[in-house]
């Protein structure tokens, strides 16, 4: 029995040393946790900064896009207006002529019409002018009357007024009379 007590007493310093080592190991572990915490906090701050920068950039992009749309609406007809100014100038000059003749008026109107046609072409304003016998297209033509004719039903007989398209969008349909079914 005494041998057992001696062994326990002999093991006591070893147990104390193990406890002391464990106690020393615990503080050694704490700085590791603190380092991890500070690294995580630094990463969180970095991510927060990146998020705030991305949010600000998105807000700037949205604001710039709204400004661009606003400017596009405001100045959408600028090109057309620039093309129309010479037409107006020509009409004003025609009214200033003291003693116009029929020939000079006709010549002035023809020149002004050429300017207007050029302005339309430049801005993709296209005439819709169907020919007699063309198939009636409800997307481009408006039939105001159906008349008996010697041609196929639902075809254009006469054009009462030209239509216009801007690029691929109908601005005003051509007003036509259509052939009645036989």
């Amino acid at each position: 029995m005494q041998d057992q007590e001696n062994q326990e007493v002999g093991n006591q310093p070893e147990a104390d040393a193990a406890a002391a080592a464990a106690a020393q190991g615990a503080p050694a572990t704490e700085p590791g946790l603190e380092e991890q915490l500070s690294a995580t906090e630094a990463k969180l701050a970095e991510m927060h900064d990146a998020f705030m920068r991305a949010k600000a950039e998105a807000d700037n992009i949205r604001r710039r896009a709204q400004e661009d749309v606003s400017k596009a609406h405001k100045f959408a007809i600028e090109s057309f207006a620039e093309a129309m100014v010479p037409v107006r100038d020509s009409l004003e000059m025609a009214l200033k002529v003291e003693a116009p003749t029929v020939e000079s008026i006709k010549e002035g109107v023809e020149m002004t019409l050429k300017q207007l046609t050029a302005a339309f072409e430049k801005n993709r304003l296209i005439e819709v002018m169907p020919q007699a016998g063309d198939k009636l297209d409800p997307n481009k033509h408006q039939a105001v009357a159906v008349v008996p004719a010697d041609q196929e039903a639902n075809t254009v007989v006469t054009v009462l007024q030209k239509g216009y398209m801007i690029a691929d969008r109908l601005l005003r349909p051509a007003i036509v009379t259509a052939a009645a079914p036989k």
Side-chain angles (χ1 to χ4, degrees):
M1 203 166 193
Q2 253 185 358
D3 286 337
Q4 286 178 354
E5 286 178 13
N6 285 340
Q7 284 179 352
E8 286 178 13
V9 171
N11 289 338
Q12 186 91 348
E14 291 175 11
D16 289 341
Q24 287 177 355
T29 310
E30 283 181 28
L33 290 176
E34 287 176 5
E35 288 173 5
Q36 286 179 349
L37 178 61
S38 64
T40 303
E41 287 174 345
K43 190 170 184 178
L44 174 65
E46 182 182 323
M47 293 291 209
H48 180 69
D49 183 55
F51 168 74
M52 294 305 284
R53 288 178 187 274
K55 184 178 176 187
E57 182 64 22
D59 289 343
N60 287 340
I61 290 171
R62 185 176 17 262
R63 181 183 47 77
R64 278 188 230 117
Q66 287 174 343
E67 288 174 0
D68 289 347
V69 168
S70 175
K71 285 178 184 177
H73 285 266
K74 188 175 181 180
F75 299 110
I77 65 164
E78 183 176 13
S79 173
F80 187 67
E82 286 175 352
M84 293 303 296
V85 169
V87 175
R88 180 181 174 125
D89 292 343
S90 294
L91 290 171
E92 287 174 346
M93 286 178 18
L95 291 174
K96 289 181 182 177
V97 174
E98 296 280 331
T101 63
V102 174
E103 292 82 29
S104 68
I105 291 175
K106 184 177 182 201
E107 183 180 329
V109 169
E110 288 173 350
M111 288 175 44
T112 304
L113 182 59
K114 285 180 185 177
Q115 288 177 326
L116 185 61
T117 302
F120 281 11
E121 288 173 0
K122 179 181 176 187
N123 290 282
R124 300 183 308 155
L125 187 60
I126 304 161
E127 286 184 358
V128 176
M129 184 65 176
Q131 300 297 315
D134 286 353
K135 184 91 172 136
L136 185 68
D137 182 356
N139 296 318
K140 295 181 181 179
H141 311 141
Q142 180 180 355
V144 293
V146 178
V147 296
D150 293 331
Q151 58 193 51
E152 189 177 331
N154 293 325
T155 57
V156 174
V157 176
T158 57
V159 178
L160 304 174
Q161 187 178 53
K162 294 179 198 178
Y164 290 93
M165 295 181 69
I166 297 177
D168 295 328
R169 182 181 287 176
L170 185 66
L171 180 64
R172 179 180 82 187
I175 298 175
V176 299
T177 58
K182 295 180 183 177

